[in-house]
Amino acid sequence: MRYLPLNDTDRRAMMNVIGTDNIDALFSDVPANALNATFDLPDHQSEMQVEQALGAMAAKNRAAGAGPFFIGAGAYKHHIPATVDHIIQRSEFLTAYTPYQPEIAQGTLQYLFEFQTQVAALTGMEVANASMYDGSTGCAEAALMARRITKRNKILVSGGLHPQYGAVTRTNLELVNATVELSPIDVDASEDLIGQIDDDTACVIVQNPDVFGNIRDLTPIAEAAHEKGALLVAVVTEAVSLGALKSPGEMGADIVVGEGQSIGNGLNFGGPYVGLFATRQKYIRQMPGRLCGETVDAEGKRGFVLTLSTREQHIRRDKATSNICTNSGLCTLAFTVHMTLLGEAGLRRLAMLNHEAACKTADALAAIDGVEVVNKSYFNEFTLRLPVKASEIVERLASDGILAGVPGDRLWPFDRSADNLLVVAATECVSDEDIDRFATSLRGALS
Protein backbone atom coordinates (compact mmCIF):
# COMPACT_ATOMS: atom_id res chain seq x y z
CA MET A 1 0.00 0.00 0.00
CA ARG A 2 1.33 3.43 -0.94
CA TYR A 3 1.78 6.01 1.78
CA LEU A 4 -0.50 8.97 1.02
CA PRO A 5 0.51 12.10 2.96
CA LEU A 6 -1.87 14.84 3.99
CA ASN A 7 -2.67 17.52 1.42
CA ASP A 8 -2.56 21.29 1.93
CA THR A 9 -6.25 21.46 2.81
CA ASP A 10 -5.77 18.87 5.56
CA ARG A 11 -2.80 20.77 6.95
CA ARG A 12 -4.67 24.09 7.00
CA ALA A 13 -7.58 22.47 8.84
CA MET A 14 -5.24 21.06 11.47
CA MET A 15 -3.45 24.38 11.96
CA ASN A 16 -6.77 26.18 12.34
CA VAL A 17 -7.71 23.84 15.17
CA ILE A 18 -4.49 24.45 17.10
CA GLY A 19 -4.49 28.17 16.38
CA THR A 20 -1.53 28.77 14.10
CA ASP A 21 -1.09 29.63 10.45
CA ASN A 22 2.57 28.70 10.18
CA ILE A 23 4.10 25.27 10.62
CA ASP A 24 7.38 26.90 11.70
CA ALA A 25 5.59 28.16 14.82
CA LEU A 26 5.37 24.58 16.03
CA PHE A 27 9.16 24.55 16.32
CA SER A 28 9.58 27.92 18.05
CA ASP A 29 11.08 26.29 21.16
CA VAL A 30 13.85 24.60 19.18
CA PRO A 31 17.09 26.66 18.98
CA ALA A 32 17.81 27.96 15.49
CA ASN A 33 21.23 26.32 15.38
CA ALA A 34 19.59 22.98 16.01
CA LEU A 35 16.98 23.48 13.30
CA ASN A 36 19.64 24.32 10.74
CA ALA A 37 22.25 21.84 11.92
CA THR A 38 24.44 20.10 9.38
CA PHE A 39 25.88 16.65 9.89
CA ASP A 40 29.20 15.25 8.81
CA LEU A 41 27.77 12.13 7.21
CA PRO A 42 28.96 10.34 4.06
CA ASP A 43 26.92 10.31 0.88
CA HIS A 44 24.52 7.43 0.33
CA GLN A 45 26.12 4.05 -0.24
CA SER A 46 25.08 0.67 -1.57
CA GLU A 47 23.75 -1.99 0.79
CA MET A 48 27.02 -3.91 0.60
CA GLN A 49 29.07 -0.79 1.34
CA VAL A 50 26.90 0.01 4.34
CA GLU A 51 27.34 -3.53 5.68
CA GLN A 52 31.10 -3.26 5.27
CA ALA A 53 31.23 0.15 6.98
CA LEU A 54 29.10 -0.95 9.91
CA GLY A 55 31.04 -4.22 10.17
CA ALA A 56 34.28 -2.27 10.46
CA MET A 57 32.76 -0.15 13.20
CA ALA A 58 31.49 -3.22 15.05
CA ALA A 59 34.92 -4.82 14.87
CA LYS A 60 36.25 -2.05 17.12
CA ASN A 61 34.19 -3.46 19.98
CA ARG A 62 35.69 -6.03 22.30
CA ALA A 63 33.19 -8.68 23.31
CA ALA A 64 32.88 -9.67 26.96
CA GLY A 65 33.98 -13.22 26.16
CA ALA A 66 37.12 -12.18 24.30
CA GLY A 67 39.33 -12.16 27.40
CA PRO A 68 39.47 -11.27 31.11
CA PHE A 69 36.36 -9.22 31.89
CA PHE A 70 35.84 -7.29 35.13
CA ILE A 71 33.22 -4.73 34.08
CA GLY A 72 30.04 -4.40 36.13
CA ALA A 73 28.36 -1.26 37.49
CA GLY A 74 24.86 -2.41 36.61
CA ALA A 75 25.57 -4.84 33.74
CA TYR A 76 27.20 -8.19 34.55
CA LYS A 77 28.69 -11.10 32.62
CA HIS A 78 27.20 -14.39 33.79
CA HIS A 79 27.05 -17.80 32.21
CA ILE A 80 23.69 -18.39 30.54
CA PRO A 81 22.74 -22.04 29.87
CA ALA A 82 22.06 -22.89 26.21
CA THR A 83 18.58 -24.04 27.27
CA VAL A 84 17.56 -20.41 27.84
CA ASP A 85 18.31 -19.33 24.29
CA HIS A 86 16.73 -22.49 22.87
CA ILE A 87 13.43 -21.90 24.65
CA ILE A 88 13.06 -18.17 24.02
CA GLN A 89 13.68 -18.67 20.30
CA ARG A 90 10.67 -20.92 19.92
CA SER A 91 8.28 -19.11 17.58
CA GLU A 92 5.41 -18.89 20.06
CA PHE A 93 7.69 -16.97 22.46
CA LEU A 94 9.92 -15.03 20.08
CA THR A 95 7.05 -13.34 18.25
CA ALA A 96 4.57 -13.03 21.11
CA TYR A 97 3.28 -9.56 21.92
CA THR A 98 1.21 -7.90 24.61
CA PRO A 99 -1.78 -10.15 25.45
CA TYR A 100 -4.60 -7.79 24.55
CA GLN A 101 -6.85 -10.86 24.37
CA PRO A 102 -5.73 -12.81 27.46
CA GLU A 103 -8.04 -15.73 26.86
CA ILE A 104 -5.96 -16.74 23.81
CA ALA A 105 -2.56 -15.85 25.34
CA GLN A 106 -2.51 -18.33 28.22
CA GLY A 107 1.12 -19.35 27.63
CA THR A 108 2.37 -15.76 27.75
CA LEU A 109 0.32 -14.98 30.82
CA GLN A 110 1.53 -18.10 32.61
CA TYR A 111 5.23 -17.36 32.22
CA LEU A 112 4.60 -13.75 33.27
CA PHE A 113 2.80 -15.09 36.35
CA GLU A 114 5.76 -17.37 37.10
CA PHE A 115 8.13 -14.43 36.63
CA GLN A 116 6.14 -12.33 39.11
CA THR A 117 6.22 -15.19 41.62
CA GLN A 118 10.00 -15.52 41.30
CA VAL A 119 10.63 -11.77 41.66
CA ALA A 120 8.38 -11.52 44.71
CA ALA A 121 10.21 -14.43 46.35
CA LEU A 122 13.65 -13.05 45.52
CA THR A 123 12.92 -9.55 46.80
CA GLY A 124 10.94 -10.64 49.88
CA MET A 125 7.89 -8.68 48.77
CA GLU A 126 4.23 -9.61 48.50
CA VAL A 127 3.56 -8.73 44.87
CA ALA A 128 5.58 -8.05 41.71
CA ASN A 129 4.51 -6.72 38.33
CA ALA A 130 5.11 -8.20 34.88
CA SER A 131 8.33 -6.21 34.37
CA MET A 132 9.50 -2.72 33.47
CA TYR A 133 11.78 -1.48 30.72
CA ASP A 134 14.91 -1.73 32.87
CA GLY A 135 16.20 -0.96 36.35
CA SER A 136 16.67 2.77 35.89
CA THR A 137 13.17 3.47 34.57
CA GLY A 138 11.81 1.18 37.29
CA CYS A 139 13.58 3.38 39.84
CA ALA A 140 11.90 6.49 38.43
CA GLU A 141 8.52 4.73 38.46
CA ALA A 142 9.06 3.80 42.12
CA ALA A 143 9.66 7.45 43.01
CA LEU A 144 6.50 8.47 41.14
CA MET A 145 4.57 5.74 42.95
CA ALA A 146 5.87 6.89 46.35
CA ARG A 147 4.79 10.42 45.51
CA ARG A 148 1.27 9.22 44.71
CA ILE A 149 1.03 7.25 47.95
CA THR A 150 2.44 9.85 50.34
CA LYS A 151 1.19 12.99 48.52
CA ARG A 152 4.68 14.44 49.10
CA ASN A 153 7.20 15.89 46.66
CA LYS A 154 10.68 15.30 48.09
CA ILE A 155 12.71 12.33 46.79
CA LEU A 156 15.86 11.62 48.80
CA VAL A 157 18.50 9.72 46.81
CA SER A 158 21.48 7.95 48.34
CA GLY A 159 25.00 8.79 47.19
CA GLY A 160 25.48 5.07 46.64
CA LEU A 161 22.81 4.86 43.93
CA HIS A 162 24.04 4.23 40.40
CA PRO A 163 24.33 7.75 38.93
CA GLN A 164 22.43 6.80 35.78
CA TYR A 165 19.51 5.57 37.89
CA GLY A 166 19.60 8.88 39.73
CA ALA A 167 19.68 10.86 36.49
CA VAL A 168 16.70 8.99 35.01
CA THR A 169 14.76 9.50 38.24
CA ARG A 170 15.50 13.20 38.35
CA THR A 171 14.51 13.67 34.69
CA ASN A 172 11.15 11.95 35.24
CA LEU A 173 10.33 13.60 38.56
CA GLU A 174 11.17 17.12 37.42
CA LEU A 175 8.29 16.82 34.95
CA VAL A 176 5.86 16.63 37.87
CA ASN A 177 7.57 19.42 39.84
CA ALA A 178 8.99 17.08 42.47
CA THR A 179 12.25 17.77 44.27
CA VAL A 180 14.94 15.14 43.77
CA GLU A 181 17.83 15.53 46.23
CA LEU A 182 20.84 13.62 44.90
CA SER A 183 23.36 13.07 47.70
CA PRO A 184 27.11 13.41 47.02
CA ILE A 185 28.87 10.22 45.99
CA ASP A 186 29.32 7.99 49.03
CA VAL A 187 32.28 5.69 48.39
CA ASP A 188 32.41 4.04 51.82
CA ALA A 189 28.67 4.00 52.65
CA SER A 190 29.07 6.48 55.51
CA GLU A 191 26.37 9.01 54.56
CA ASP A 192 23.71 10.12 57.03
CA LEU A 193 20.51 9.54 55.08
CA ILE A 194 18.41 9.22 58.22
CA GLY A 195 19.24 12.76 59.26
CA GLN A 196 17.94 14.09 55.94
CA ILE A 197 14.48 12.50 56.17
CA ASP A 198 11.78 15.02 57.09
CA ASP A 199 8.01 15.47 56.94
CA ASP A 200 8.19 16.42 53.24
CA THR A 201 10.03 13.25 52.18
CA ALA A 202 8.05 10.91 49.93
CA CYS A 203 10.72 8.23 49.76
CA VAL A 204 14.36 7.40 50.30
CA ILE A 205 16.08 5.55 47.44
CA VAL A 206 18.99 3.30 48.46
CA GLN A 207 20.89 0.71 46.42
CA ASN A 208 22.13 -2.57 47.91
CA PRO A 209 24.81 -3.58 47.10
CA ASP A 210 25.47 0.02 46.16
CA VAL A 211 27.22 1.22 43.03
CA PHE A 212 30.59 0.92 44.79
CA GLY A 213 29.79 -2.64 45.89
CA ASN A 214 29.17 -1.86 49.56
CA ILE A 215 26.61 -4.06 51.33
CA ARG A 216 24.17 -1.90 53.29
CA ASP A 217 21.77 -2.67 56.11
CA LEU A 218 18.55 -1.01 55.03
CA THR A 219 16.65 -1.73 58.26
CA PRO A 220 17.53 1.48 60.17
CA ILE A 221 16.76 3.61 57.10
CA ALA A 222 13.41 1.86 56.62
CA GLU A 223 12.47 2.41 60.26
CA ALA A 224 13.44 6.08 60.14
CA ALA A 225 11.54 6.61 56.89
CA HIS A 226 8.40 4.96 58.24
CA GLU A 227 8.56 7.04 61.41
CA LYS A 228 8.32 10.15 59.22
CA GLY A 229 5.62 8.68 56.98
CA ALA A 230 8.00 8.15 54.05
CA LEU A 231 8.69 5.00 52.03
CA LEU A 232 11.93 3.12 51.42
CA VAL A 233 12.72 2.25 47.81
CA ALA A 234 15.44 -0.42 47.57
CA VAL A 235 17.39 -0.76 44.31
CA VAL A 236 19.18 -3.94 43.25
CA THR A 237 21.30 -3.80 40.09
CA GLU A 238 22.85 -7.26 40.55
CA ALA A 239 20.02 -9.79 40.80
CA VAL A 240 22.38 -12.66 41.66
CA SER A 241 23.14 -10.94 44.98
CA LEU A 242 19.62 -11.86 46.11
CA GLY A 243 20.87 -15.43 46.39
CA ALA A 244 23.27 -14.44 49.18
CA LEU A 245 22.04 -11.30 50.91
CA LYS A 246 19.07 -10.60 53.14
CA SER A 247 16.19 -9.56 50.90
CA PRO A 248 15.10 -5.91 50.76
CA GLY A 249 11.63 -6.93 51.93
CA GLU A 250 13.09 -8.49 55.09
CA MET A 251 14.85 -5.19 55.78
CA GLY A 252 11.64 -3.17 55.56
CA ALA A 253 11.60 -1.89 51.98
CA ASP A 254 8.24 -0.70 50.69
CA ILE A 255 9.15 -0.86 47.00
CA VAL A 256 11.95 -2.90 45.43
CA VAL A 257 13.22 -2.18 41.94
CA GLY A 258 16.10 -3.71 40.12
CA GLU A 259 17.75 -4.92 36.96
CA GLY A 260 17.19 -8.56 36.05
CA GLN A 261 19.82 -8.75 33.30
CA SER A 262 22.13 -10.93 35.37
CA ILE A 263 19.71 -13.85 35.19
CA GLY A 264 19.13 -15.24 31.72
CA ASN A 265 20.11 -12.15 29.72
CA GLY A 266 23.47 -11.52 28.07
CA LEU A 267 25.26 -8.20 27.98
CA ASN A 268 24.51 -7.66 24.27
CA PHE A 269 26.51 -4.41 24.21
CA GLY A 270 23.94 -2.74 26.41
CA GLY A 271 20.48 -4.27 26.17
CA PRO A 272 17.64 -4.93 26.03
CA TYR A 273 17.28 -5.56 29.74
CA VAL A 274 14.41 -6.26 32.12
CA GLY A 275 13.29 -4.14 35.05
CA LEU A 276 12.14 -5.78 38.27
CA PHE A 277 9.43 -4.11 40.36
CA ALA A 278 7.88 -5.42 43.60
CA THR A 279 5.95 -3.86 46.45
CA ARG A 280 3.65 -4.47 49.41
CA GLN A 281 0.13 -5.74 48.82
CA LYS A 282 -1.40 -2.58 50.30
CA TYR A 283 0.21 -0.46 47.59
CA ILE A 284 -0.85 -2.64 44.66
CA ARG A 285 -3.32 -0.11 43.28
CA GLN A 286 -0.54 2.44 42.87
CA MET A 287 1.87 0.02 41.21
CA PRO A 288 2.76 0.82 37.57
CA GLY A 289 2.73 -1.70 34.76
CA ARG A 290 0.56 -4.78 34.79
CA LEU A 291 -0.14 -7.76 37.02
CA CYS A 292 -0.98 -11.28 35.85
CA GLY A 293 -3.12 -13.41 38.11
CA GLU A 294 -4.13 -17.06 38.43
CA THR A 295 -7.79 -18.04 38.34
CA VAL A 296 -10.14 -20.79 37.16
CA ASP A 297 -12.48 -20.77 34.18
CA ALA A 298 -16.17 -21.60 34.07
CA GLU A 299 -15.30 -25.31 34.09
CA GLY A 300 -12.96 -25.01 37.05
CA LYS A 301 -9.78 -25.32 35.00
CA ARG A 302 -6.67 -23.35 35.92
CA GLY A 303 -6.16 -20.22 33.86
CA PHE A 304 -4.42 -16.84 33.85
CA VAL A 305 -5.70 -13.30 33.43
CA LEU A 306 -4.53 -9.71 33.44
CA THR A 307 -5.59 -8.91 36.98
CA LEU A 308 -4.40 -5.31 36.98
CA SER A 309 -3.34 -3.13 34.07
CA THR A 310 -2.63 0.47 34.94
CA ARG A 311 -1.24 1.87 31.73
CA GLU A 312 -3.09 4.51 29.77
CA GLN A 313 -3.73 2.18 26.82
CA HIS A 314 -6.11 0.21 29.04
CA ILE A 315 -7.73 2.79 31.29
CA ARG A 316 -8.42 6.53 31.35
CA ARG A 317 -5.25 8.58 31.21
CA ASP A 318 -6.09 10.49 34.39
CA LYS A 319 -6.42 7.16 36.23
CA ALA A 320 -3.28 5.55 34.81
CA THR A 321 -0.26 5.11 37.08
CA SER A 322 2.17 4.66 34.21
CA ASN A 323 2.42 5.38 30.50
CA ILE A 324 4.64 2.38 29.81
CA CYS A 325 3.48 1.02 26.47
CA THR A 326 5.24 -2.32 26.44
CA ASN A 327 7.56 -4.41 28.56
CA SER A 328 10.64 -6.55 28.20
CA GLY A 329 8.65 -9.73 27.59
CA LEU A 330 11.30 -11.88 25.93
CA CYS A 331 13.89 -10.82 28.53
CA THR A 332 11.33 -11.68 31.20
CA LEU A 333 10.99 -15.16 29.77
CA ALA A 334 14.78 -15.59 29.67
CA PHE A 335 14.93 -14.57 33.34
CA THR A 336 12.19 -17.05 34.24
CA VAL A 337 13.75 -19.96 32.32
CA HIS A 338 17.19 -19.40 33.87
CA MET A 339 15.76 -18.92 37.35
CA THR A 340 13.73 -22.12 36.98
CA LEU A 341 16.83 -24.04 35.92
CA LEU A 342 18.78 -22.72 38.92
CA GLY A 343 16.16 -23.13 41.61
CA GLU A 344 16.84 -21.86 45.12
CA ALA A 345 19.84 -24.13 45.74
CA GLY A 346 21.37 -23.25 42.37
CA LEU A 347 20.99 -19.53 42.90
CA ARG A 348 22.62 -19.73 46.32
CA ARG A 349 25.50 -21.73 44.86
CA LEU A 350 25.88 -19.25 41.99
CA ALA A 351 25.93 -16.37 44.46
CA MET A 352 28.65 -18.10 46.50
CA LEU A 353 30.78 -18.61 43.38
CA ASN A 354 30.45 -14.91 42.61
CA HIS A 355 31.49 -13.86 46.08
CA GLU A 356 34.47 -16.22 46.06
CA ALA A 357 35.65 -14.84 42.71
CA ALA A 358 35.38 -11.28 44.01
CA CYS A 359 37.34 -12.12 47.18
CA LYS A 360 40.15 -13.69 45.15
CA THR A 361 40.25 -10.71 42.81
CA ALA A 362 40.21 -8.13 45.60
CA ASP A 363 42.98 -9.92 47.50
CA ALA A 364 45.19 -10.13 44.41
CA LEU A 365 44.76 -6.46 43.52
CA ALA A 366 45.07 -5.13 47.07
CA ALA A 367 48.54 -6.74 47.26
CA ILE A 368 49.77 -4.26 44.62
CA ASP A 369 51.56 -1.17 45.96
CA GLY A 370 49.37 1.93 45.79
CA VAL A 371 46.12 0.01 45.29
CA GLU A 372 43.44 0.24 47.98
CA VAL A 373 40.14 -1.65 48.22
CA VAL A 374 37.77 0.88 49.76
CA ASN A 375 35.01 -1.58 50.73
CA LYS A 376 34.55 -3.12 54.15
CA SER A 377 32.12 -5.64 52.67
CA TYR A 378 31.00 -6.57 49.17
CA PHE A 379 29.28 -9.27 47.13
CA ASN A 380 30.82 -9.65 43.66
CA GLU A 381 31.79 -6.03 43.09
CA PHE A 382 34.14 -3.65 44.85
CA THR A 383 35.92 -0.35 44.31
CA LEU A 384 39.64 0.31 44.07
CA ARG A 385 41.33 3.60 44.77
CA LEU A 386 44.36 3.92 42.51
CA PRO A 387 47.32 6.32 42.77
CA VAL A 388 46.59 7.61 39.24
CA LYS A 389 43.53 8.37 37.13
CA ALA A 390 41.59 5.14 36.71
CA SER A 391 40.48 5.74 33.11
CA GLU A 392 44.11 5.90 31.99
CA ILE A 393 44.80 2.53 33.61
CA VAL A 394 41.69 1.03 32.01
CA GLU A 395 42.91 2.10 28.58
CA ARG A 396 46.37 0.66 29.18
CA LEU A 397 44.98 -2.67 30.36
CA ALA A 398 42.56 -2.78 27.43
CA SER A 399 45.57 -2.77 25.12
CA ASP A 400 46.64 -5.94 26.96
CA GLY A 401 43.27 -7.51 26.23
CA ILE A 402 41.92 -6.98 29.77
CA LEU A 403 38.69 -5.11 30.44
CA ALA A 404 39.52 -3.99 33.95
CA GLY A 405 36.34 -2.33 35.21
CA VAL A 406 34.48 0.97 35.10
CA PRO A 407 36.52 4.10 35.89
CA GLY A 408 35.00 6.71 38.17
CA ASP A 409 35.08 9.50 35.60
CA ARG A 410 32.85 7.41 33.33
CA LEU A 411 30.14 7.31 36.01
CA TRP A 412 30.76 10.74 37.56
CA PRO A 413 32.33 12.86 34.78
CA PHE A 414 31.89 16.13 36.69
CA ASP A 415 33.22 14.99 40.07
CA ARG A 416 37.00 14.96 40.19
CA SER A 417 36.97 13.05 43.50
CA ALA A 418 35.97 9.98 41.50
CA ASP A 419 38.86 10.13 39.03
CA ASN A 420 41.03 7.60 40.85
CA LEU A 421 38.22 5.15 41.55
CA LEU A 422 37.82 1.90 39.63
CA VAL A 423 34.69 -0.23 40.07
CA VAL A 424 35.59 -3.89 39.55
CA ALA A 425 33.19 -6.84 39.20
CA ALA A 426 34.09 -10.53 39.33
CA THR A 427 31.49 -13.18 38.54
CA GLU A 428 31.55 -16.96 38.16
CA CYS A 429 32.92 -16.37 34.64
CA VAL A 430 36.23 -15.06 36.03
CA SER A 431 38.98 -17.68 36.22
CA ASP A 432 42.10 -17.77 38.39
CA GLU A 433 44.12 -17.15 35.22
CA ASP A 434 42.04 -14.02 34.50
CA ILE A 435 42.73 -12.71 37.99
CA ASP A 436 46.47 -13.36 37.64
CA ARG A 437 46.58 -11.56 34.28
CA PHE A 438 44.66 -8.60 35.73
CA ALA A 439 46.99 -8.31 38.72
CA THR A 440 50.14 -8.65 36.62
CA SER A 441 49.03 -6.05 34.07
CA LEU A 442 47.85 -3.61 36.76
CA ARG A 443 51.15 -3.94 38.61
CA GLY A 444 53.01 -3.23 35.38
CA ALA A 445 50.82 -0.25 34.51
CA LEU A 446 51.43 1.32 37.93
CA SER A 447 55.17 0.70 38.04
Side-chain angles (χ1 to χ4, degrees), residues 190-213:
S190 60
E191 63 188 351
D192 179 21
L193 281 175
I194 292 176
Q196 300 177 57
I197 303 172
D198 57 28
D199 294 333
D200 296 323
T201 304
C203 67
V204 185
I205 303 178
V206 189
Q207 181 176 324
N208 185 48
D210 67 19
V211 67
F212 301 102

Side-chain angles (χ1 to χ4, degrees), residues 222-249:
E223 292 174 348
H226 296 158
E227 187 176 330
K228 290 288 187 177
L231 305 182
L232 172 64
V233 175
V235 176
V236 180
T237 62
E238 169 53 292
V240 175
S241 70
L242 296 169
L245 304 180
K246 192 174 183 180
S247 73

Side-chain angles (χ1 to χ4, degrees), residues 72-78 134-136 139 160-166 206-214 234-242 245 248 256-263 267 273-276 335 379-381 423 425:
Y76 303 90
K77 182 178 185 292
H78 292 285
D134 57 21
S136 62
C139 184
L161 180 70
H162 195 298
Q164 293 168 359
Y165 281 55
V206 189
Q207 181 176 324
N208 185 48
D210 67 19
V211 67
F212 301 102
N214 300 300
V235 176
V236 180
T237 62
E238 169 53 292
V240 175
S241 70
L242 296 169
L245 304 180
V256 181
V257 297
E259 176 53 64
Q261 172 270 321
S262 288
I263 300 178
L267 288 169
Y273 291 160
V274 52
L276 312 180
F335 180 103
F379 170 60
N380 68 353
E381 192 165 26
V423 181

Side-chain angles (χ1 to χ4, degrees), residues 7 34 120 123 151 159 169 203 205 222 240 256 263 273 278 308 318 340 372 377 396 436:
N7 58 37
T123 58
K151 304 295 189 292
T169 301
C203 67
I205 303 178
V240 175
V256 181
I263 300 178
Y273 291 160
L308 184 68
D318 60 333
T340 302
E372 175 193 359
S377 62
R396 291 185 61 177
D436 291 340

Side-chain angles (χ1 to χ4, degrees), residues 404-420:
V406 181
D409 62 358
R410 176 69 180 270
L411 295 172
W412 300 276
F414 306 111
D415 192 330
R416 298 280 69 83
S417 68
D419 283 358
N420 289 24

Side-chain angles (χ1 to χ4, degrees), residues 343-419:
E344 181 178 350
L347 180 63
R348 291 189 184 280
R349 175 60 180 157
L350 176 61
M352 184 58 68
L353 290 174
N354 275 249
H355 183 56
E356 289 174 352
C359 289
K360 289 180 181 179
T361 305
D363 289 346
L365 301 179
I368 301 172
D369 288 342
V371 176
E372 175 193 359
V373 176
V374 303
N375 308 68
K376 295 183 178 64
S377 62
Y378 51 86
F379 170 60
N380 68 353
E381 192 165 26
F382 55 87
T383 300
L384 301 177
R385 182 174 282 111
L386 305 178
V388 296
K389 192 173 181 179
S391 57
E392 297 174 358
I393 296 298
V394 167
E395 290 298 324
R396 291 185 61 177
L397 267 62
S399 65
D400 292 338
I402 300 167
L403 298 181
V406 181
D409 62 358
R410 176 69 180 270
L411 295 172
W412 300 276
F414 306 111
D415 192 330
R416 298 280 69 83
S417 68
D419 283 358

